[in-house]
Amino acid sequence: MSQPLVGIIMGSQSDLNVMSEAAEILEELKVPFELTIVSAHRTPKRMVNYAEKARSNGLKVIIAGAGGAAHLPGMVASMTSLPVIGVPVKSSNSIDGWDSILSILQMPAGVPVATVALNGAKNAGILAAQIVGSFNKEVAKTLDNYKNSLKMKVEESAKKIETQGWKGKIIGFKN
Amino acid sequence: MSQPLVGIIMGSQSDLNVMSEAAEILEELKVPFELTIVSAHRTPKRMVNYAEKARSNGLKVIIAGAGGAAHLPGMVASMTSLPVIGVPVKSSNSIDGWDSILSILQMPAGVPVATVALNGAKNAGILAAQIVGSFNKEVAKTLDNYKNSLKMKVEESAKKIETQGWKGKIIGFKN
Amino acid sequence: MSQPLVGIIMGSQSDLNVMSEAAEILEELKVPFELTIVSAHRTPKRMVNYAEKARSNGLKVIIAGAGGAAHLPGMVASMTSLPVIGVPVKSSNSIDGWDSILSILQMPAGVPVATVALNGAKNAGILAAQIVGSFNKEVAKTLDNYKNSLKMKVEESAKKIETQGWKGKIIGFKN
Amino acid sequence: MSQPLVGIIMGSQSDLNVMSEAAEILEELKVPFELTIVSAHRTPKRMVNYAEKARSNGLKVIIAGAGGAAHLPGMVASMTSLPVIGVPVKSSNSIDGWDSILSILQMPAGVPVATVALNGAKNAGILAAQIVGSFNKEVAKTLDNYKNSLKMKVEESAKKIETQGWKGKIIGFKN
Amino acid sequence: MSQPLVGIIMGSQSDLNVMSEAAEILEELKVPFELTIVSAHRTPKRMVNYAEKARSNGLKVIIAGAGGAAHLPGMVASMTSLPVIGVPVKSSNSIDGWDSILSILQMPAGVPVATVALNGAKNAGILAAQIVGSFNKEVAKTLDNYKNSLKMKVEESAKKIETQGWKGKIIGFKN
Amino acid sequence: MSQPLVGIIMGSQSDLNVMSEAAEILEELKVPFELTIVSAHRTPKRMVNYAEKARSNGLKVIIAGAGGAAHLPGMVASMTSLPVIGVPVKSSNSIDGWDSILSILQMPAGVPVATVALNGAKNAGILAAQIVGSFNKEVAKTLDNYKNSLKMKVEESAKKIETQGWKGKIIGFKN
Amino acid sequence: MSQPLVGIIMGSQSDLNVMSEAAEILEELKVPFELTIVSAHRTPKRMVNYAEKARSNGLKVIIAGAGGAAHLPGMVASMTSLPVIGVPVKSSNSIDGWDSILSILQMPAGVPVATVALNGAKNAGILAAQIVGSFNKEVAKTLDNYKNSLKMKVEESAKKIETQGWKGKIIGFKN
Amino acid sequence: MSQPLVGIIMGSQSDLNVMSEAAEILEELKVPFELTIVSAHRTPKRMVNYAEKARSNGLKVIIAGAGGAAHLPGMVASMTSLPVIGVPVKSSNSIDGWDSILSILQMPAGVPVATVALNGAKNAGILAAQIVGSFNKEVAKTLDNYKNSLKMKVEESAKKIETQGWKGKIIGFKN
């Protein structure tokens, strides 16, 4: 794989179930990435190091996922001027995800985090690709194709219902 | 001003109070932008037109702000593969901002919106600049300088408190 | 079946589990309808087309269901002056349904959506029939009979409890 | 004024500030209506009487507004098969409006209430007109004109900003 | 059983799982009661009748349980000046119980409902007994004995832990 | 005044603004009461003493109001078997009243508190009178008269609107 | 075991599942403790006794866990000036834990409770050890070792992912 | 002043209004402290430095206040094993304080923060004193006196009400 443009990090190995969706879609969209574990609360020095070297390491975007009092995305954003995408993870110790969402979203003026939906790692990957695609025509084209494939899947399932009726069991596509 | 790289849109003129902060910080960070009003619910065709032409018009990022059932950011994101930053606005008809936040943040898989804090238009502007700065060294440098100025303001006010004490009235800086 | 008076649409095939209850009750109440999939975020053009042709296609009411950041009901309402009934769906990517509810309910002045309870597709069907029934005596009569049948079921189960006691297992009716 | 087609009721005179917007827009849209006070909790018999006679009195739609534990819309809906539009009112004894919203929206299967946004009396009036307009071409046309006027106001304010800039004070239109 | 002093009603047979706990504790506390189903939304006339005759039928307290937009307790309270205890039921169509709680608790000035915890039918029964016990020494004594038995169960389980340790499996008592 | 039947207590003098409404309505309904300050957190011994002597002091009902983490109603209920009515007070240190409501309402099985609406001290007074009125015909009659006066006020304001129109300024009655 | 420095109490034996984690980590950190059951609502006198004797019994910190309307931590804090750590327990009768959190956290000025996360008994144990460790070098050293072990576990799992890839199944460590 | 035992830090000078209450009560309780500004997001290095040197600088407890996505308390706790007290501040950019509370309270296992009520800086100061007082008899005695003064103020205001009545205006004491 060529030089990673996107860095995917998460606070704990238990976040990998959710966060691997970011990696999968980046593979599909052919945007090179790296993935590892960086804990704001258990490895703060490792986090400082990661954030400070991100730009010189060639990264263009960082995706950071965490649950509960999720400080990783915001703290990384405080130490780099690269765009940081935050993924609130509904971990076992989370209150229905509200804690993760609010502690990632509500950053103070000066230090933005681009927050996506709860457990929205797939969208984080697509957003990272869109950022790269703003300055890279090939990625932009891949994204347009992806967008088109989403449209076609909806049209296909609409056609099935319209012709076969809504009562029978319809073999669906993953939302 | 040179070719706009960032498009700032909002659902209603009443959002301008909040959204003008995005424009101000982009001016300060020297990233060219355009600003206008596009309502998802009152001018849906205008919105379709805006979104579809955004990339060919040279935009790299779109910032969209809206309140209440805020559909503008998500709908624009559905019609372009440029990165879209959503600003939840706490408008007069909003329930403490929760409606704006959730209807921007919780986009389905395939169509991300980079959501910032409630009324976080300033951060939306900085995030847009960071996206541009990932591929533009000059903007990156401006951002690093801006980050540094934030740090110095904190240090300055810390020094004031440490030397003059916390009881007197301290002439502050805007948060 | 005669000319459909009610159009049932939903954002994704995965919403069919919930939304089919609207179709079932309309069948029972003998109000002709059509049902298909229209995604605000994946097929925005298809949505524009559906909304704009709804009235000339003979529809009197549209029922639109969606989950998460649910933009379909509001966006359809922005492009037709037919009454639009919105069904918040508690999809897997929803935060306990709050996102779906608020992004459907909190529409700005000028563009109403008639929102029903979370997963309330059955009530959406009844409401659509009530709208038709306001101008159609036969449907009104069917609705009065339906209302009466609800009453009789409660009275029947009350009688069972009063005569057989509350401790034994009572064979219930679906709520 | 001709025979009222829409009945506007509210739980208390203190709701009139909010609910009069329903009356004003129905006047503008030329749909005849009546307006009075009916309290579910203080005049339950009056409410029963109002609901039961609504259809024979010629009403096609009922708009009911109430705050706090807002039972009026749902109770009226339990005693008529006319469509009932519920307006959650953020009264002084309400918890940020959540109580009003949930006690109107979350009706059980069989008894729908068409709920609009918090304090959304204007939208309740428009929705009532849309229901009438589904079966009355003149009202439908008035609604299309109204929709068009909303569009033109947005376009006008967009033009102002685009030509005069976003920094000066712009004389706005009411949202 | 002697003349019922407490009337237990619920909106639907599906509430019986929860509401039977009120009946069980009243049996245990030897306070005579009756139990039946009365739906505010499906049998409004039956509800009016029940509420109006409650006092002359010899009841001293009414316990009313309902889920979702729970109007039964408040509507009964509007038609009798007996104390009404409301039990918010977390039914399948409820949003985590918030709708049930708020639509029972937030009654307007003039018409109180004595609300207990979500699914708190047992406490509703105890509260009803306490009301009776304020004017009946025998019931008061039974309640004091019950209170004492709660205390003894806690002390017993505390003793077990203190002597046998907290690590082994302790055979508990129902909370 | 004769022997108090209702004891009104509150956690802090700052709650008196809200809690005095309970006293006023009890005066109006001619139910004798006493009123004082008892803090669960600052005078726990005083609270124990108050609760334990309440019944022998002749009280039939206790009304306890508190804000924030409101422990007074529940703790008093743990030490007497008299019915305790809890009034959640929206004090300055409260989070929109949610903390007060939940820490009063959600009592464990065995120890009920009859919770009324946020700041609902007036309803607490009425509820206390209703409890007394269940066993006292005179109070019951006063309550029926009070209920009737509420009805008449609504009818009067309805008549005003129906005859004088909804547009003029109407001299209202306190809700 | 030597003289207990930390007292762990909980409202009910059913809280032991959660609260035993506090005991386990204190064992691991070699801080002596005692553990028992004290119910604010069922054994108020036992609670008064426990709180008042805590300091003279040699305790330095009290950990109190409770669910629902959780009064135990705050009431104990009202009767001792030892630091009290409150653990909100998500018991079966809790509304997603919000009631437990708010009734522990939102204590009035003068009576603090050191609140930890929902079900955060492990952190309560660590916090108690940290308080002891502020004045005891040995405990402080044990804590630093513990902190280091957390860091090493993250680094180890990061290394696994970086070398073995994120796709295979990785044998994790408990979060 | 002697060697500070408590370090008070806050994210921004705008938090001083709230956080100065911690300083004031520590002065009153005669516990030496220091106070300055440390921003997690604008001066991350300063924060690392502060946290790492806290113990060797002689501090026994750290009080950290912050608003919105409040990362300061948790991040400091990740870099020291001293007890850290977190004060959620309801800053202007906060959503009713929920973001501040959840991002401080919901720390993952291993890194506790002792959270106090929203804006509860006074209680943070008292809690810090209680921690010191666990190992310092003089501070413990001062705390007992303080607790007693709270009790006497309540008793005094209770006496006023009992003798002068609840209707007149009573000159209160600050809650």
Side-chain angles (χ1 to χ4, degrees), chain C residues 113-129:
Chain C
V113 168
T115 313
V116 293
L118 188 61
N119 283 350
K122 188 176 186 177
N123 270 358
I126 297 172
L127 181 57

Side-chain angles (χ1 to χ4, degrees), chain G residues 86-109:
Chain G
V87 182
V89 174
K90 191 172 173 175
S91 57
S92 62
N93 66 324
S94 166
I95 309 180
D96 289 329
W98 293 111
D99 41 12
S100 321
I101 289 175
L102 292 175
S103 53
I104 293 177
L105 182 73
Q106 284 294 102
M107 290 294 289

Side-chain angles (χ1 to χ4, degrees), chain A residues 55-128:
Chain A
R55 189 184 290 271
S56 62
N57 280 345
L59 295 182
K60 299 297 187 191
V61 193
I62 295 170
I63 295 173
H71 300 177
L72 183 65
M75 287 311 300
V76 167
S78 79
M79 290 176 291
T80 178
S81 56
L82 287 179
V84 175
I85 299 172
V87 182
V89 174
K90 191 172 173 176
S91 57
S92 63
N93 66 324
S94 166
I95 308 180
D96 290 328
W98 292 111
D99 42 11
S100 321
I101 288 175
L102 291 175
S103 54
I104 292 177
L105 182 73
Q106 285 293 103
M107 290 294 289
V111 190
V113 168
T115 313
V116 293
L118 188 61
N119 284 351
K122 188 176 186 177
N123 270 357
I126 297 171
L127 182 57

